[in-house]
Amino acid sequence: VTPVGCITEHERILQEIESTDTACVGPTLRSVYDDQPNAHKRFMEKLDIRIRNHDREIEKMCNFHHQGFVDAITELLKVRADAEKLMGQVTDTNRRLQDAGREVTAQTEEVIRCRIQQRNMATTVEKLQLCIPDLSSRYYAALKTMEQLEEVYIPRVSQYRFCQIMAENLPKLREEIKDISMSDLKDFLESIRKHSDKIGETAMKQVVNCDPLPLNPAQDLVDFSPVYRCLHIYTVLGDRETFENYYRKQRKKQARLVLQPQSNMHETVAGYRRYFNQIVGFFVVEDHILHATQGLVTRAFTEEIWNMALSKIIAVLRTHSSYCSDPDLVLELKNLIVVFADTLQGYGFPVNRLFDLLFEIRDQYNETLLKKWALVFREIFDLDNYSPIPVETEEDYRSVISRFPFHDVEIEKQDFPKKLPMSQSVPQIYIQVKEFIYASLKFSESLHRSSTEIDDMLRKSTNLLLTRTLSGCLQNLIKKPHIGLTELVQIIINTTHLEQACKYLEDFITNITNVSPETAHTTRLYGLSTFKDARHAAEGEIYTKLNQKIDEFIQLADYEWGMPESDGRASGYLMDLINFLRSTFQVFTHLPGKVAQTACMSACKHLSTSLMQMLLDSELKQITMGAIQQFNLDVIQCELFASSEPVPGFQGDTLQLAFIDLRQLLDLFMVWDWSTYLADYGQPSSKYLRVNPSTALALLEKMKDTSKKNHIFSQFRKNDRDKQKLIETVVKQLRSLVNGMSQHS
């Protein structure tokens, strides 16, 4: 019995034989013999059965198509005769076509030959173009190819006309290459002119960000290959010097353009920044060219341009910075200059002159600060109420002394509420001086200077603030019309406390700079002299205003110079004046030192002088004895005021001596003691030592008999005409004394 597996395997082999190429039948049949014993016999049987099946299928197929085949053969035999006729016609047509196309064939062969020549020429041109493909990008390769053509290839085929033409055109090509490369160089120069701003900005940002230098940003923003190619081409063509001279000349022109600032550059920081960016960009490019090429530019050339640029930059900055009135803008300019200098120093350019310029700009910065703080001080003075600062609570007190160094044991012992002696402007001024010091310090940062130098700068600028700006503001304040005696007293008190605070300002500077004030050459603050000068000016203004007030009262005087007798009481204007002086001097008790005493003495002297001038006024022609008596009553009130010690501190009758001239003159006339006066004149012990003969004569002239209608001595004439003669005699003697004094002088 045949195994089932064997039958299945034989089926598979038969299918492979039927469907596989005959070349592969061998291995398939071999598998039959490799199988079980006698398997090939069984396979042969299977194969015979399969063959018989196929034969039967073929026979069936032939039987099915036999009649159609017979019919087709019959039809084909019928067509044979027509096919023979057609063959004859085709042969004849072919012969005639061959005869007719013989000429076309000849022409076609000529066309083919021309086409081959054309193709060869196109290929040659293409190959030549590959040799010189693009004069704008492969100049050097083109030049090498032309050199090979001239020296190697053209001599081999020089008999051909096209080679001669090529040889003639090669010099023109070289010139064309030079022109194109030069054109590319010009484009490059224009490109870096446009990109200088961005290159410089990037380089300066690297410095601000503390990136290591040199990181050349020009390589990232500009393609330098046109320079390299052009330099190489001119070098190969033996014309390098021409190229170098052209490049350097053009860059010098660009440098001058870059260094030319815009007219309004000083108005904004952006204007200065754009100016610096362009300059930095220019020199960053030159630094790159210096290191990337062999001798196109030299260190001497870059130093020459830099020195020229540095002089121009310094002149421009010196001019434009002088236009700046905003200290913040000047400070930003300083910061830009520092970054600008540090950037270029990183590329090897010397920048010491820029830092020297910064010291000039520092002075300009300080000037703008002084102007700014002048406005601040004026506003503080304008808003001050010139009254002692009231403190209601301990918190209020601490708030004040935290802003201003004030210490007074007596005031600290007082209960709340109480008042501090200075007005509100004092702590405000003190704070603003410290703010000025901070602002001045900002400029000194990053200048690469020692702490001692910075300390000296701060002290000098602070001295200018105190001695010029604050002093000027104080002087202007003191002269303002609305500043009265009370305000002047407060200003004097204020300057005293500001003067005492100067040592704290010095300590403040010391803490900032860490430079001991004992260090040699340390500048001291001149605040002491500033506030003393202001105080003296205020004191002088007090004396002036007091005198002005006295003059205002005296202008109200309305004496009846022809009165026969006095009223028996002092004039009203004078009593008002004395009351004003008394209340004023009560306020003066807060003044330091001898100011109150000096003001009181000055007022009494001015009052005495004014009364004397009133008595001797040339417009006053006649005076009666009654008017003299009334005037005497007023002077007595002045003397009583002086003796009442309106201001403490005077010794004895010092203040009363201000009226001594008036007193002796009035006593002389009231007592009519001419014999004593004339007898003792010139003697140190004279009772009327302070009475000048010219003064006595002037007053006596006003009392002479100048008209019969109004003669003050008419009673003397009625009673005793000898008294009139006595007056005449006294007048003559006084005139004699006056004349003697004038001759002696």
Side-chain angles (χ1 to χ4, degrees), residues 516-736:
S516 172
E518 286 75 25
T519 305
H521 309 301
T522 297
T523 304
R524 310 299 297 181
L525 294 185
Y526 301 142
L528 301 179
S529 61
T530 294
F531 298 120
K532 282 180 180 176
D533 293 343
R535 188 159 55 252
H536 292 158
E539 292 168 4
E541 195 65 20
I542 283 179
Y543 309 147
T544 301
K545 287 190 181 297
L546 263 178
N547 293 345
Q548 290 174 351
K549 293 296 291 185
I550 291 172
D551 292 341
E552 291 175 9
F553 280 102
I554 287 179
Q555 288 174 4
L556 299 175
D558 188 18
Y559 285 104
E560 187 181 344
W561 297 109
M563 61 171 42
E565 293 182 358
S566 72
D567 294 340
R569 61 181 182 275
S571 302
Y573 87 91
L574 187 73
M575 296 308 297
D576 292 341
L577 171 58
I578 289 174
N579 290 333
F580 163 75
L581 291 176
R582 202 178 298 279
S583 63
T584 299
F585 291 138
Q586 287 178 351
V587 177
F588 283 16
T589 55
H590 300 294
L591 287 172
K594 303 289 184 180
V595 178
Q597 297 173 16
T598 305
C600 188
M601 177 60 76
S602 171
C604 290
K605 285 184 177 180
H606 184 72
L607 176 57
S608 176
T609 302
S610 300
L611 290 171
M612 181 70 81
Q613 290 173 349
M614 186 191 304
L615 199 62
L616 300 176
D617 188 0
S618 60
E619 297 295 324
L620 179 60
K621 302 299 183 182
Q622 295 179 356
I623 302 178
T624 64
M625 184 56 71
I628 293 290
Q629 292 169 350
Q630 181 64 41
F631 199 80
N632 182 61
L633 290 175
D634 293 344
V635 174
I636 290 173
Q637 290 298 322
C638 294
E639 292 171 322
L640 289 173
F641 169 74
S643 63
S644 68
E645 199 176 12
V647 172
F650 287 108
Q651 295 182 353
D653 57 354
T654 303
L655 195 56
Q656 292 171 268
L657 291 176
F659 300 97
I660 189 65
D661 290 4
L662 268 176
R663 173 47 48 213
Q664 290 187 7
L665 178 64
L666 291 173
D667 283 351
L668 176 60
F669 277 83
M670 293 290 292
V671 180
W672 205 252
D673 196 7
W674 294 105
S675 58
T676 303
Y677 176 77
L678 294 171
D680 294 345
Y681 179 75
Q683 299 298 322
S685 60
S686 173
K687 181 180 178 181
Y688 304 103
L689 182 64
R690 308 286 298 186
V691 179
N692 191 291
S694 59
T695 304
L697 177 60
L699 186 56
L700 191 59
E701 289 281 2
K702 297 177 187 293
M703 303 178 70
K704 279 178 59 179
D705 182 12
T706 56
S707 70
K708 294 182 179 180
K709 182 177 181 182
N710 294 315
H711 199 289
I712 60 174
F713 290 110
S714 59
Q715 69 272 24
F716 294 148
R717 228 177 17 252
K718 291 177 182 178
N719 299 328
D720 191 356
R721 294 183 180 276
D722 291 340
K723 286 190 177 182
Q724 180 65 31
K725 292 181 180 179
L726 176 60
I727 293 174
E728 295 291 344
T729 301
V730 171
V731 168
K732 289 180 181 179
Q733 289 178 332
L734 289 174
R735 285 177 179 167
S736 176

Side-chain angles (χ1 to χ4, degrees), residues 84-301:
E84 289 176 353
K85 289 181 181 180
L86 181 61
M87 185 63 183
Q89 293 175 356
V90 169
T91 302
D92 183 57
T93 302
N94 178 58
R95 179 181 54 75
R96 288 187 285 108
L97 183 61
Q98 291 293 333
D99 292 341
R102 192 170 286 110
E103 184 177 353
V104 175
T105 302
Q107 293 177 354
T108 300
E109 290 176 352
E110 181 66 21
V111 169
I112 291 172
R113 187 178 62 81
C114 291
R115 286 291 178 85
I116 292 172
Q117 290 179 346
Q118 184 182 28
R119 184 188 61 192
N120 292 341
M121 293 174 65
T123 303
T124 303
V125 170
E126 181 183 353
K127 298 304 180 184
L128 288 174
Q129 286 178 341
L130 289 175
C131 295
I132 314 176
D134 184 3
L135 295 182
S136 64
S137 60
R138 296 183 62 187
Y139 310 119
Y140 183 67
L143 289 173
K144 293 299 290 183
T145 300
M146 286 189 287
E147 182 182 0
Q148 288 180 342
L149 286 172
E150 280 184 324
E151 296 179 359
V152 179
Y153 299 113
I154 291 180
R156 296 179 182 177
V157 288
S158 58
Q159 68 274 19
Y160 297 103
R161 185 169 177 272
F162 81 93
C163 292
Q164 297 173 2
I165 295 174
M166 287 178 61
E168 293 172 358
N169 285 329
L170 288 178
K172 297 178 182 179
L173 282 174
R174 287 193 176 92
E175 290 300 319
E176 184 180 349
I177 289 174
K178 285 178 64 176
D179 293 342
I180 294 175
S181 64
M182 183 58 72
S183 176
D184 285 353
L185 176 67
K186 292 177 181 178
D187 292 341
F188 164 79
L189 292 173
E190 181 63 26
S191 173
I192 59 173
R193 177 76 177 93
K194 294 177 180 178
H195 286 86
S196 288
D197 183 67
K198 188 65 177 178
I199 294 171
E201 180 184 3
T202 305
M204 291 177 71
K205 282 182 178 178
Q206 289 173 352
V207 172
V208 172
N209 297 331
C210 300
D211 291 341
L213 287 175
L215 284 168
N216 198 313
Q219 293 173 282
D220 299 329
L221 296 170
V222 177
D223 178 16
F224 284 88
S225 58
V227 182
Y228 308 147
R229 286 197 301 266
C230 201
L231 174 63
H232 205 156
I233 288 166
Y234 273 75
T235 302
V236 169
L237 296 177
D239 206 6
R240 179 188 176 107
E241 185 177 356
T242 299
F243 173 77
E244 289 179 354
N245 292 336
Y246 176 81
Y247 177 84
R248 295 179 186 181
K249 181 179 179 180
Q250 293 303 312
R251 288 299 277 163
K252 281 185 176 180
K253 286 182 179 179
Q254 288 190 334
R256 293 188 181 96
L257 291 174
V258 165
L259 294 169
Q260 190 65 35
Q262 293 184 344
S263 59
N264 63 341
M265 182 178 74
H266 61 278
E267 295 177 358
T268 62
V269 180
Y272 285 110
R273 184 177 289 110
R274 187 162 47 250
Y275 182 66
F276 288 137
N277 285 345
Q278 289 178 351
I279 296 172
V280 170
F282 177 91
F283 285 101
V284 167
V285 168
E286 285 308 289
D287 179 77
H288 179 78
I289 293 293
L290 174 67
H291 291 90
T293 61
Q294 297 296 324
L296 176 56
V297 296
T298 62
R299 176 60 68 181
F301 173 75

